[in-house]
Each structure stands twice: as structure tokens, then as C-alpha cells.
Amino acid sequence: MPDQPSTTRVRKKLTGVLFSGVGLTSTGFIAAITVAGLAAQDITGSSRLAGIPAAASTIGTALGSAILASATARSGRRPVLIGAYVVAGAAAVVGAIAVGSASFTLLVAAMFALGFGNSASHLTRYAAADLHQPNRRTAAIGWIVWASTVGSVAGPNLLRVSADTADGAGLAPFSGPYLVAAVAFGAASVFYLVFLRPDPLRVTVRTDEETLESSLPVATLIQRPRVQVAIASMITSHFVMVLIMAMTPIFLRDGGAGLEIVGIVISAHTLGMFALSPITGMLGDRFGRAQVAAAGMVIVLISVAMAGAAPPDATGVLIAALFLLGLGWNWAFIGGSAILTEGLAIDERLRLQGAVDAAVWLSGAAASLSSGVILALAGFAVLNAIGAALLVIPTAVFVRHRAVFAGGRTATLP
């Protein structure tokens, strides 16, 4: 039976509220994560430990993804999202205190908790997808991912003004970005408290297949072909993306490039990651989620081939390569995420989505921790070659489950 007009309006309103919350929290999180390594280096006097706070944040995000998805199945989306943002806001305050007191241990703990709370922003894409009919869910995910573009632009641009403001107030300059994060997450929690009504879980769109009572364990769900295609796409693209992106600034700087060149290349990468997300979503709904995810892996392969062959002074090639690296991740991430919204009972898909997100963020932490070692031992070309070799994994999955790609647009599981 078609939705009542009032229900449709409620779902559109909730989608807009979720979009606004992600834009707000991504601004705060990116401001905090951008200075985490610099703050760690200042506190410890060494660059060897500078990556630990960011890694702690990623591990916190992975843990939060699983725990918050499980909590959502019991309590609903609204209290979980609000609670997670309160945790993140409090963690940002602790981060500011850690910077002011020069406590590395407290900074790592704060970043872990900040990542835990920020995992709610990533899970929000599924909340938005559930508010739409199956043939519109990829587009809904694309718009929520695009909201992160707000943070990728606003967050870095708030660094200088927030640091100067903190310094003028007698605080450590790097505490400023953490206070920006505290305000952003606090404001988002209040915004959701006021406007995220009713709970999005109460007005989830359910097809006849999705209303069936079922509670299969995650271990059973991941045996399904379409789920395996999604997992292979999301984890591999994220690992390869972080592996290459994390070391590109060092490769450029060691080759004599200035910070302005580093900034341009990374900005191109960020543009590829987020800016075209609505288009990715529309392509997924039009041509098929699995097809878009697989195409994303092809784009990633092209990008690592370009980056691996480029010398550090080939700025144009590296700009194109890093843009394509971000775009390939975007296609694989959105296409794979959309597959996880198909044909499952709501409790099944909540648990599956949390488990897959946890694996994705853990893969990012592993890539971040290993990339520096590989670059130091073997160089940037070998780093990209390893990234290319890893694409054998999703290729094998795609070949094994090639029947999945015959289904076209939205298909049921398996």
C-alpha cells in the first residue's frame, strides 16, 4: 500500500535532519582529527607517535559501529544517535584538556572516545536509507555521505581562527579545534533532541520481504553472495585508500613539494571522496549497487597504477590519481553500503551493518599503521603495487558471485 502523504513528509523531514546533523558533526570531527597528529608531536617531541591518536580514533569508530548498531536494535535510532554525540562532545572537551595539560595518554583516550561517538555519523547513512523505498536507498546514502563535504571544507578552515581564539583566551592553541568539535557535537545532540521526531526506526520503509520475522546471525548473513560482494568492495577499497592517501603527503614532501602542493593534492582526494556522492547514489539506483561497487574497484586500480608510476614532481598526475582514489572509494563504499539495506529484516540489517562498518574502520586502522613501515622499507611505488595486488581479493569474490551482477538495479538477497 502506498505511503500516506503525511508519512512521506515526515520521512523527508527526518532525512533533512539527519543530513544536517552529519554536516555539523563532520565539521567538528575533521577539525579535531586534523590537529591530533600535530598535538601528539608537540606533546611527545617526536613524530613516531604522532599517528597513534588517529589510529585510536579509528579503532573507537570500529567498536562504536558494532555497539551502536546493536543498541539501535534495542532502543531505536534517536536515543543512540543523541547519546553517541554527547559522548563525542565530552571526548572533545577531554581532548582540549589533554592538549592544555600536555598529556599524551589523555589525548589518545579522548580520540578513542571521539571516534566511538563519531561512528554514529557513519551509521546515519543507513538510517536515511531506511526512510526511502528500496529503489531510492542508494541515493539517500549518497546524500548523507555528501554531507561530509561540509566538514571537509569547514573543518580545516576553522583551524586557524579556533587556534587563535584559544590562544587569545590563554589556552593552548590546539585546544581550539577540540572545542570546535565539542560545540559541533553538542549542538548536533540538541538539534536531534528537538527535531529528530519521531524516531526514524518507527517510520522505516519495509517491503513485504523485510517485514518477515527473522533473526539470522551475522555469520550466516555474510555467506550470502551480495553481502560478500559488498564486504569485499567496502573493506578492500577503504584499506587501499588509506594505505596510499596516508603516505602521499610524505612522498610529496620528500620529493621537494611545498605544503601548498600537498594541500592541493589532498584536497583533490577529498573532493573525489565526497563531492560527487549524490551522483554515485543515482547511478547505483539506476544501474545496480553491485555494479557501482565493482566499478569503484576498477577506478581504484587505475588510481594506484597512476600514483605508483608518478614521480613526486608530477603534480598533475598525482592530483588526478588521488582524485580517482577518492572517487573509487566513494563508488565502492556507497554501492556496498546500499547492498546492505536490501531484503533483510530490520534487526538483521542493523547487526550486519554494524559488523561490516566495524571491519571497514579496523581495516583503515591497519592500513594507517602499516603504510609508514612499507613506505620506509620499500618506497611509494611498491606501496601502490601492494594496493593493486590487494584488488585480487574483490576480483575473486566478483568472479565467484558473478550472477549477482546479472540482477541489475535493486535485487533481493542473495
Side-chain angles (χ1 to χ4, degrees), residues 120-397:
S121 291
H122 295 293
L123 292 172
T124 297
R125 70 191 191 277
Y126 296 123
D130 285 349
L131 295 171
H132 296 266
Q133 296 293 337
N135 64 348
R136 292 288 301 155
R137 288 177 183 168
T138 322
I141 290 173
W143 279 108
I144 296 299
V145 173
W146 187 84
S148 297
T149 307
V150 177
S152 68
V153 173
N157 283 304
L158 289 173
L159 296 181
R160 172 54 60 189
V161 65
S162 63
D164 290 345
T165 301
D167 188 39
L171 303 173
F174 282 152
S175 67
Y178 283 96
L179 294 177
V180 167
V183 171
F185 279 101
S189 64
V190 173
F191 182 70
Y192 278 4
L193 184 66
V194 175
F195 295 106
L196 196 63
R197 298 173 182 274
D199 190 308
L201 205 58
R202 290 178 51 195
V203 290
T204 292
V205 173
R206 289 179 172 89
T207 64
D208 290 341
E209 183 182 28
E210 293 166 350
T211 58
L212 297 175
E213 290 295 329
S214 178
S215 187
L216 295 175
V218 170
T220 299
L221 297 174
I222 63 176
Q223 299 303 313
R224 298 184 175 189
R226 289 183 68 81
V227 173
Q228 291 188 2
V229 167
I231 292 173
S233 302
M234 294 170 69
I235 292 179
T236 308
S237 65
H238 193 71
F239 186 95
V240 174
M241 188 268 290
V242 174
L243 188 75
I244 307 306
M245 177 270 295
M247 291 299 107
T248 299
I250 295 176
F251 173 66
L252 288 167
R253 186 179 64 181
D254 289 349
L259 287 178
E260 68 281 359
I261 297 299
V262 173
I264 291 171
V265 172
I266 298 303
S267 292
H269 176 66
T270 305
L271 185 71
M273 286 181 68
F274 299 119
L276 302 180
S277 296
I279 296 175
T280 305
M282 288 188 289
L283 291 173
D285 286 333
R286 174 65 179 84
F287 297 106
R289 288 91 186 256
Q291 284 81 350
V292 165
M297 302 310 302
V298 174
I299 296 173
V300 170
L301 176 60
I302 294 170
S303 72
V304 296
M306 291 174 62
D313 59 351
T315 304
V317 175
L318 289 169
I319 288 173
L322 267 292
F323 172 81
L324 290 174
L325 182 64
L327 183 64
W329 171 88
N330 178 274
W331 282 36
F333 185 73
I334 291 177
S337 296
I339 290 172
L340 302 182
T341 69
E342 298 173 354
L344 295 164
I346 188 64
D347 68 310
E348 289 178 338
R349 90 177 167 235
L350 285 170
R351 288 183 286 107
L352 178 63
Q353 290 161 358
V356 173
D357 268 22
V360 168
W361 307 129
L362 284 175
S363 75
S368 180
L369 292 172
S370 61
S371 59
V373 176
I374 296 172
L375 181 69
L377 293 177
F380 194 65
V382 172
L383 187 72
N384 281 274
I386 291 172
L390 289 171
L391 298 179
V392 170
I393 298 172
T395 301
V397 174

Side-chain angles (χ1 to χ4, degrees), residues 39-59:
Q41 186 175 29
D42 286 353
I43 291 171
T44 63
S46 170
S47 61
R48 288 182 296 178
L49 301 177
I52 292 179
S57 172
T58 304
I59 294 170

Side-chain angles (χ1 to χ4, degrees), residues 52-95:
I52 292 179
S57 172
T58 304
I59 294 170
T61 300
L63 182 62
S65 297
I67 292 176
L68 295 181
S70 178
T72 297
R74 297 191 305 271
S75 305
R77 294 198 186 276
R78 183 173 177 271
V80 168
L81 291 173
I82 293 171
Y85 285 169
V86 169
V87 169
V93 173
V94 173

